Amino acid sequence: MGTETSTTKRKRVAKPPEERRKDILDAAADVFTRKGIADSKIEEITSLAEVSKGTFYLYFKTKDEAAAALWERHMNDFASVGEEILNRTDVPLDARLVDVLESLCRFALGHADLHRVLYLVAGAQAVHAATNERLINMIAAAAREGVKTGEIVCERPEMMARALFHGFCGAVGDAITGFVPISHDEVITAAGEVTRAVFGLKGPTTA
């Protein structure tokens, strides 16, 4: 009968396109945060994702295009954090408003390395601005509803939502860049405290 060879070819596992794309982006996130985009090689990404270089090019023309896609995914994940919290109608509105600012700060700070390396990729500013506007509109809508029901006290909910969000975007940015030595826990705690003050909420609330 035939003899077995000492070398066995590793079978490539067939995956749906979206799952394969996710694997490539997950690998890119790992490589980019360790080495920076400029010093990263596509071969390092494909090796970690266990795909061929040709497979990479089926999804992305360049590593910069992969970086832009990764940033867009990161921003969508960021927005989803806020959306999920604000849609929890089983939780009191005041608790949701506090939780959403604290959780958005926690998410951004928890992904600081990825944020730093991707923030300057082509098109990042436009995606970032659109995501911020999406979140501000969600927070403002929740605040307006709270004013109608009497759950919160705020004369200008839209402006307060905008000022609150951008204020903590700035604080998070300082903490991420190290421009100002700010404790991550301090930023998150302050986000909750300022949210209570801005919307006239009483005392610490937890979701």
Side-chain angles (χ1 to χ4, degrees):
M1 304 295 290
T3 58
E4 291 185 3
T5 60
S6 58
T7 304
T8 303
K9 289 185 178 180
R10 184 175 63 186
K11 282 188 176 181
R12 194 173 296 282
V13 178
K15 291 185 178 182
E18 281 306 307
E19 190 174 342
R20 184 66 74 194
R21 186 177 188 273
K22 179 182 181 301
D23 289 345
I24 294 171
L25 287 179
D26 288 345
D30 183 284
V31 176
F32 290 159
T33 52
R34 284 189 288 107
K35 305 190 69 174
I37 298 171
D39 293 330
S40 297
K41 298 185 185 305
I42 289 175
E43 291 85 351
E44 295 171 306
I45 297 171
T46 56
S47 175
L48 189 59
E50 297 185 346
V51 299
S52 68
K53 198 170 179 180
T55 299
F56 176 92
Y57 287 119
L58 288 175
Y59 295 90
F60 308 105
K61 294 177 182 177
T62 64
K63 65 180 179 181
D64 287 334
E65 187 175 298
L70 187 57
W71 175 254
E72 186 172 1
R73 186 181 77 169
H74 175 62
M75 285 290 95
N76 282 334
D77 289 345
F78 180 57
S80 293
V81 169
E83 190 170 25
E84 182 179 350
I85 291 168
L86 291 172
N87 285 339
R88 290 172 58 190
T89 54
D90 58 316
V91 176
L93 179 60
D94 58 348
R96 279 181 275 155
L97 286 169
V98 171
D99 190 18
V100 74
L101 264 296
E102 290 180 341
S103 295
L104 288 172
C105 287
R106 190 176 291 111
F107 179 92
L109 293 167
H111 296 80
D113 290 342
L114 188 63
H115 191 100
R116 272 194 299 269
V117 79
L118 295 176
Y119 190 69
L120 296 178
V121 301
Q125 298 298 320
V127 173
H128 190 227
T131 303
N132 286 352
E133 198 63 23
R134 177 180 166 191
L135 283 163
I136 289 167
N137 288 337
M138 286 192 286
I139 295 168
R144 284 195 302 271
E145 184 61 27
V147 170
K148 286 181 183 177
T149 61
E151 294 174 79
I152 69 172
V153 178
C154 181
E155 291 185 5
R156 291 173 289 278
E158 292 86 357
M159 184 54 67
M160 292 300 101
R162 186 171 298 279
L164 183 65
F165 183 88
H166 281 304
F168 278 96
C169 274
V172 166
D174 287 343
I176 286 175
T177 61
F179 179 72
V180 177
I182 304 175
S183 156
H184 288 193
D185 288 341
E186 185 179 359
V187 173
I188 295 165
T189 300
E193 291 174 348
V194 176
T195 301
R196 293 183 190 100
V198 164
F199 291 125
L201 308 178
K202 296 180 180 180
T205 2
T206 55

